[in-house]
Amino acid sequence: MDAQGRGRADNIDPADQWVLNPNTGEYELRLPPSGTQSVPGPRRPSTENGGGRRRRNDMAPGETREMSQVGAEDGARAGAATRARGGTRASDKGRAGDKARAGDVPPPRSSRRKGAEPEPAPGRRGRRPAKKKSKVKKVLAWTAGGTAFVLVAAGAAGYLYLKHLEGNISSTDVGDAGSKGFSKDEAFNLLIIGTDRRTGKGNEGYGDKGSVGHADTNILLHVSKDRSNATALSIPRDLIVNVPDCPTKQPDGSTKVVPGSENVRFNTSLGQDGRDPGCTMRTVEEVTGIHVDHFMMADFNAVKTLTTAVNGVQVCVTHPVSDPDSHLKLPAGKSWVQGEQALAFVRTRHSFGNHGDLDRIKVQQQFLGSLMRKMSSSDTLTNPSKLMDLAEAATKALTVDTGIDNISTLKDMALELKKVPPKNITFTTVPVVDNPAEKVPVTVVLNQSAAPSVFQAIQNDVSFTDVKRKQKAAKDAQNALLKGSRSAPGDVRVRILNGGAETGSAQAVLTWLQNTEGVSKSENAGDAPAQLTKTTLEYGPEQADQARELAALMGLPGSALKPGKSVVNSQGLPAMTLTLSKDFKGAGIPLTAPQKAPKVDKSTANEVKCAS
């Protein structure tokens, strides 16, 4: 603002009078020329006015004439600078000249602007004014600050969003059926249950309106310890099984035991008589011998919302489909389905094969493989909007056990599963045959010649597909423990514990070893401190030959041998520890794990097949 605008001549802002001298590179104070007063060039210190120059009366006698001589030159340069800035108003010239003729130079005006720097202290050389930042630099500065703010805000928002997602999750307390925590370093078995419950918008018209939600679709997902492979084992809903007694949590916190049932369909393990998913988990373990760590349950809405979140899943059929029961209509070849059409695709039983549940299972496996490929595709993983939609849909659609009912654990499980290559995720079905008790087969029973080997392969973490070399190396290392010298049976000292096998197993093995195999230095040590999932034989370094002999007698796999330390038996001598577990089949029956999985009808997640 100029002096006229301020109303007083002595309020001229000195910042408007500093100009850059191109010859020296210094900023200099340039005032309009006056008739009687010369204005100095470079600013000089002053102890009276703080303006960087001394008054005329303070000059030494020898300085007056010198200053007069340079006054005209300075005035000319100041005038040029003034004209370069657009000129000076006449009123300002007059007021400035009056001040000069009065023998005084206008003192610097105190800045009224907030944040202005103070004038230099008396006696110190005035510093040149700080250069103003260019517009580009200002933009960069604001962008950097804004980015930092956004990052902090995103971190807080991310946390809040995760808490929001956690609030979407529904969970069921299934007691000890799902008490095991999740570990990133162990194999895990997850039971995926699809119910036929008709709750939710648009699901009332599918029939069986009052269904309590039976176990309609069931997949036991085994993820290997080294994450090199996974097996998705489908369990037919019409499989005849024995459902065990099931402790179920009641709304008031109490526990009610739902009595078991014999020779019933597998799907009645959920919903029937108030059974919860823990009953289905226990039934799976009863049928397969495989311990189930956790469960995830989804209803009709899950299929619709998940497929919509990823903008559809590609399916393929060999012939046109028009099913009035499921309302599925598709042309031959490949199609994209989502929402209602996706649900119709996985529900249809009359469009493929012999119109039975086993053929529907194959279609569902193909659908899940396609969904996995879509969820792990780059256009999903790199699209924040899709990921958020998927997270919302998944957390709202799924019910889990209380052992994994938080976002952090579910995220860890998803990341561990993501490590498995799609080509090594095998889809297969429990081997079954038609129920011989039915004249017109409707249900199925286990194929006793094929099913046990499938269950055993999963129990022993054996892959159904070709996997990495490191898995073969691990097997070779385990088998190496079985190679070497072996002691005589009479030199084997072992304590036998029951760590999860049937009651009386330890005594049965002791009797067999002593009476049949000549292992006289064996003893029954009772129950183990904790139950194990696999039978183990721990031995000290000096007992390797004894361990190899006992493993050969009992048919123990290399994975059962655990080099460690010996214990003291009842005679005070070092002995090995044999702990029998759930995989124990009986005295004299080998436990040797299969090196290869049995041949089964299967597909993998990376395969694209057309339903026929």
Side-chain angles (χ1 to χ4, degrees):
M1 184 178 289
D2 57 32
Q4 184 178 8
R6 296 185 182 279
R8 292 183 57 189
D10 57 355
N11 280 337
I12 297 176
D13 192 339
D16 294 334
Q17 302 177 37
W18 286 92
V19 296
L20 178 65
N21 187 333
N23 298 320
T24 63
E26 298 287 333
Y27 278 87
E28 299 176 354
L29 183 64
R30 292 291 182 259
L31 297 177
S34 65
T36 58
Q37 176 65 46
S38 299
V39 182
R43 186 177 183 181
R44 298 186 179 184
S46 171
T47 59
E48 294 188 21
N49 59 18
R53 59 186 301 275
R54 289 181 290 173
R55 293 181 301 178
R56 180 181 181 89
N57 293 340
D58 293 331
M59 295 180 183
E63 289 180 328
T64 306
R65 200 167 66 87
E66 180 182 352
M67 293 299 294
S68 299
Q69 291 174 348
V70 299
E73 297 176 4
D74 290 344
R77 285 197 296 270
T82 301
R83 289 190 296 273
R85 292 196 303 268
T88 304
R89 297 182 182 179
S91 59
D92 293 341
K93 291 180 180 179
R95 290 171 181 167
D98 292 342
K99 281 284 184 180
R101 285 190 293 274
D104 199 5
V105 177
R109 176 184 60 83
S110 296
S111 176
R112 299 178 183 178
R113 290 172 295 182
K114 184 178 180 180
E117 295 183 1
E119 290 295 322
R124 296 180 58 189
R125 181 177 299 276
R127 299 176 182 176
R128 72 180 96 159
K131 297 180 181 179
K132 296 182 179 180
K133 290 183 180 179
S134 69
K135 290 184 178 180
V136 173
K137 290 183 178 179
K138 285 183 178 180
V139 171
L140 291 176
W142 276 106
T143 303
T147 301
F149 175 79
V150 169
L151 290 175
V152 173
Y159 172 78
L160 293 175
Y161 184 66
L162 289 179
K163 298 304 290 184
H164 159 72
L165 291 178
E166 195 160 293
N168 290 343
I169 302 172
S170 298
S171 62
T172 299
D173 185 353
V174 294
D176 59 0
S179 59
K180 180 181 177 181
F182 175 74
S183 172
K184 296 180 181 180
D185 302 319
E186 297 293 335
F188 64 91
N189 298 314
L190 175 68
L191 180 62
I192 303 171
I193 307 171
T195 77
D196 58 359
R197 196 171 182 182
R198 268 65 170 174
T199 56
K201 183 179 180 181
N203 298 327
E204 302 85 357
Y206 289 124
D208 197 9
K209 184 176 180 180
S211 173
V212 293
H214 294 110
D216 193 53
T217 300
N218 311 276
I219 297 176
L220 179 61
L221 178 65
H222 170 79
V223 181
S224 69
K225 182 176 181 178
D226 65 1
R227 308 303 187 243
S228 66
N229 68 92
T231 302
L233 180 68
S234 291
I235 304 173
R237 70 174 191 175
D238 295 328
L239 175 66
I240 297 300
V241 299
N242 294 331
V243 178
D245 293 345
C246 296
T248 58
K249 293 285 185 178
Q250 302 301 302
D252 61 0
S254 63
T255 299
K256 174 185 176 182
V257 177
V258 180
S261 302
E262 294 184 354
N263 296 319
V264 295
R265 296 190 189 199
F266 182 89
N267 68 341
T268 61
S269 64
L270 177 67
Q272 196 77 19
D273 301 322
R275 293 182 176 126
D276 65 9
C279 296
T280 309
M281 296 169 72
R282 291 181 172 90
T283 303
V284 170
E285 190 163 353
E286 179 84 10
V287 173
T288 67
I290 302 169
H291 178 70
V292 182
D293 300 315
H294 303 285
F295 84 88
M296 287 184 179
M297 184 169 65
D299 58 15
F300 282 5
N301 277 339
V303 177
K304 295 192 288 187
T305 56
L306 287 175
T307 54
T308 300
V310 296
N311 289 341
V313 172
Q314 190 176 61
V315 297
C316 182
V317 295
T318 58
H319 58 271
V321 174
S322 181
D323 182 4
D325 293 328
S326 67
H327 310 295
L328 177 66
K329 291 185 178 181
L330 291 176
K334 296 179 180 179
S335 300
W336 287 89
V337 296
Q338 64 176 324
E340 296 290 346
Q341 277 289 83
L343 178 60
F345 185 82
V346 298
R347 287 187 65 243
T348 184
R349 285 203 302 170
H350 305 294
S351 302
F352 309 110
N354 61 6
H355 298 188
D357 190 51
L358 295 179
D359 287 296
R360 183 176 70 161
I361 286 176
K362 294 180 181 179
V363 173
Q364 291 173 345
Q365 291 173 348
Q366 295 167 21
F367 175 83
L368 287 175
S370 182
L371 178 59
M372 285 184 177
R373 292 193 297 273
K374 185 61 182 296
M375 291 173 66
S376 62
S377 64
S378 58
D379 67 327
T380 298
L381 296 178
T382 59
N383 188 322
S385 178
K386 281 187 182 180
L387 287 175
M388 291 180 70
D389 289 345
L390 189 57
E392 287 283 354
T395 52
K396 288 180 179 178
L398 298 176
T399 299
V400 300
D401 59 271
T402 51
I404 56 173
D405 65 348
N406 62 80
I407 286 296
S408 178
T409 302
L410 291 175
K411 177 202 69 176
D412 289 343
M413 292 184 72
L415 291 177
E416 292 303 302
L417 180 58
K418 187 176 180 294
K419 294 178 182 179
V420 182
K423 67 179 181 179
N424 289 338
I425 300 177
T426 302
F427 290 99
T428 190
T429 304
V430 171
V432 296
V433 294
D434 289 338
N435 189 350
E438 297 174 341
K439 292 183 179 180
V440 179
V442 176
T443 61
V444 294
V445 296
L446 285 181
N447 182 339
Q448 294 296 343
S449 63
S453 59
V454 172
F455 301 152
Q456 191 176 19
I458 294 176
Q459 285 175 330
N460 291 282
D461 206 17
V462 177
S463 174
F464 283 76
T465 57
D466 294 330
V467 295
K468 302 174 184 177
R469 291 182 179 179
K470 69 176 183 179
Q471 188 181 43
K472 182 178 183 301
K475 292 293 182 184
D476 291 342
Q478 291 175 354
N479 293 332
L481 296 175
L482 300 174
K483 297 178 180 179
S485 61
R486 289 156 44 180
S487 68
D491 294 331
V492 174
R493 291 188 296 271
V494 60
R495 299 172 71 247
I496 307 168
L497 288 81
N498 191 328
E502 292 184 5
T503 302
S505 294
Q507 184 60 41
V509 171
L510 176 66
T511 302
W512 173 74
L513 286 175
Q514 291 183 341
N515 298 339
T516 305
E517 302 299 334
V519 183
S520 57
K521 298 176 182 178
S522 53
E523 62 184 44
N524 183 353
D527 291 334
Q531 292 194 350
L532 305 180
T533 57
K534 293 182 180 180
T535 295
T536 62
L537 175 62
E538 185 175 2
Y539 59 95
E542 74 285 359
Q543 297 172 311
D545 55 347
Q546 297 181 42
R548 286 189 285 267
E549 175 64 16
L550 186 60
L553 293 174
M554 294 190 62
L556 298 178
S559 59
L561 273 61
K562 305 294 181 185
K565 60 182 181 179
S566 60
V567 295
V568 178
N569 64 12
S570 59
Q571 286 77 40
L573 299 174
M576 302 180 294
T577 300
L578 173 66
T579 305
L580 306 176
S581 188
K582 297 178 181 180
D583 60 342
F584 176 70
K585 302 174 183 177
I589 302 177
L591 273 73
T592 305
Q595 298 300 306
K596 289 186 178 180
K599 291 184 178 181
V600 292
D601 184 12
K602 64 181 182 179
S603 62
T604 55
N606 68 317
E607 292 182 286
V608 179
K609 289 187 175 181
C610 292
S612 59

